[in-house]
Amino acid sequence: MAASKLLSIFFLLSFMNIVSLCIAANNFGGKAVPPETICASNPNPSYCKTVFPNQPATVYDFGLISFRKSLSQSRKFLNTIDSYLQQGSTLSQPTLGALQDCRFLAQLNFEYLTTSYNTVNSKNQTLPDSQADDCQTILSAVLTNQQTCLDGLQTTATDSRVKDELSLSLNDDTKLHSVSLDLFNKGWLPNRKIKTTWQVNGVHQGFRNGRLPLKMSERVRGIYDSARGRHRHGRRLLQTEESVLVSDIVVVSQDGSGNFTTINDAINVAPNNSVVTNGYFLIYITEGVYQEYVSIAKNKKFLMLVGDGINTTIITGDHNVADGSTTFNSATLAVVAPFFVAVNITFRNTAGPSKNQAVAMRSGADMSTFYSCSFEGYQDTLYTHSLRQFYRECDIYGTVDFIFGNAAVVVQNCNLYPRLPKSGQFNAITAQGRTDPNQNTGTSIHNCTVRPADDLAPFTGTVKTYLGRPWKEYSRTVYLQSFLDSFINPAGWHEWSGDFALTTLYYAEYANTGPGSNTANRVTWAGYQLNFNATDAAGFTVSNFLQAEDWLTPTGVPFNSGLLP
């Protein structure tokens, strides 16, 4: 309690100091404007004006006030969640489940806002591109985490008092965090130019024919040689010629011949908070069906999971909403560790179409990469929750909203397989969840193939399949240079509920092929981009949308940085 009071006093004094700076001399430079001017283009202009004193100030002054308030409110909300969780047995299990998700997300938000505040407080001018992108990304994730907590409370919690109080707090705090993101974009985010050239040489070839080349120290090579002597697949998976720096290798094998028999045990020994110069901690998972719920915490940075191949190394579970899980906590694999890489693994949720939301894999891992993996489920298979993600040469199976979330994500050279849903349902491949126009999030489907799965193929005449639908108000999804088979409904896209988000969403298609790519009869919503051209499309490539060359290259995973020629 004493620590909490000291923290509150610190924030109060800090806030008063910033206000005095604004009133006094606008020491941070730039043009001083009144609050109504800085708030005019905010998604909630009337609320935005209440955040600030009625004094002219620069965008940097206003931004620092907003960031300090955001940080203070995030801590208060975390304390509120903790106080509810301390009530324990007086709450229902569904409510406790939603609160536990909220607690996890609130802790992330406090850390994200601390990091972003430290960034803007140290430099009152436009930031370098990479630093600005990092900060915009985590501020976008703050809003995503707020919405995820709110969704969980409203759909899962059964204690109305808890639900009502926290929902009110979440709504107010989300408006505040939205102001912080808006002012960051106005003051610290540089104006970037879109690279519009077709980058023929923008393909990194670290992996070849499913092989993982590794640059290994003598110590790691000894571990590798030991593992290779015991596992017949070692030579096929691991080479020593080039490319991927690895700090250590451990082997998971169910027959007891490796270092561990479970994946979670191997993850537990991975070092905490590694840096890129240390290399990846590589966990080689041999052939088998692993019935585990794998959770990879944020401190397990630079972790790489490598299996024996799709449908050979399988991680499986069946948690689902119908049986009491939250959507967020139903994932077979959940990862929030930055710079995570997975290769040659199937992630599966076997709950089936009757159990509603059931996630095979959830990623809130910034700069995470998935190569030659399969994601198998029905409703809500692949939860691209937040931050920046890349998928290459993967298979993704599902029914309703089976690629969903609010990350900045590029799905490249993948196969998307809509399956047979339960009776009365239609398929929606994507359900993107952007809630704020200033978030740098969206789903980009690039050079992929969209075909019906084997169980759907006989029923494509009766089961409708759409490219996506707007889960949230500013939903953003594009399909670029992909093959769309004939079973795609001619309208292309489906509404969520009535006219919700039809004017604010951003849906587009560019240079797709196949009988389902004809756009003549597509929806006529205001948010559907009729004149989407090559320059627009280039904005959703690896280079421009993810700024990913620097963090993808060390993974060894191939990628096209721009549009295909």
Side-chain angles (χ1 to χ4, degrees), residues 73 82 116 195 204 266-267 301 347 359 369 397 459 488 517 543:
Q73 286 303 116
D82 284 339
S116 58
K195 302 174 186 176
H204 183 69
I267 291 168
K301 298 177 182 178
F347 302 99
V359 175
T369 306
Y397 295 82
F459 301 97
I488 298 298
S517 66
S543 177

Side-chain angles (χ1 to χ4, degrees), residues 23-71:
I23 295 173
N26 299 318
N27 290 337
F28 296 110
K31 183 180 179 181
V33 296
E36 53 266 28
T37 299
I38 207 72
C39 291
S41 60
N42 187 269
N44 297 286
S46 59
Y47 172 84
C48 177
K49 287 186 289 184
T50 70
V51 175
F52 307 114
N54 190 23
Q55 299 280 350
T58 70
V59 65
Y60 304 110
D61 298 336
F62 284 131
L64 286 171
I65 293 172
S66 178
F67 271 87
R68 286 182 181 272
K69 285 190 171 185
S70 281
L71 185 55

Side-chain angles (χ1 to χ4, degrees), residues 455-476:
D455 62 345
L456 177 62
F459 301 97
T460 53
T462 56
V463 175
K464 294 181 179 179
T465 297
Y466 298 89
L467 299 175
R469 59 178 185 152
W471 182 28
K472 301 298 180 184
E473 188 172 2
Y474 294 93
S475 181
R476 182 161 66 171

Side-chain angles (χ1 to χ4, degrees), residues 397-412:
Y397 295 82
T399 55
V400 180
D401 309 333
F402 67 92
I403 302 173
F404 76 112
N406 195 25
V409 55
V410 174
V411 180
Q412 190 176 89

Side-chain angles (χ1 to χ4, degrees), residues 198-219:
W198 283 268
Q199 298 180 21
V200 181
N201 296 321
V203 181
H204 183 69
Q205 295 289 356
F207 285 90
R208 295 184 178 86
N209 301 320
R211 296 175 181 265
L212 174 63
L214 299 171
K215 178 182 177 183
M216 293 186 286
S217 68
E218 291 299 321
R219 176 171 176 269

Side-chain angles (χ1 to χ4, degrees), residues 493-541:
W493 308 83
H494 198 283
E495 69 276 2
W496 185 268
S497 178
D499 62 358
F500 170 74
L502 301 188
T503 61
T504 51
L505 60 79
Y506 188 103
Y507 288 165
E509 302 171 55
Y510 172 75
N512 297 307
T513 59
S517 66
N518 188 335
T519 60
N521 296 309
R522 288 296 196 249
V523 294
T524 57
W525 307 335
Y528 180 72
Q529 307 298 305
L530 289 173
N531 300 311
F532 191 74
N533 58 31
T535 301
D536 299 323
F540 293 92
T541 57

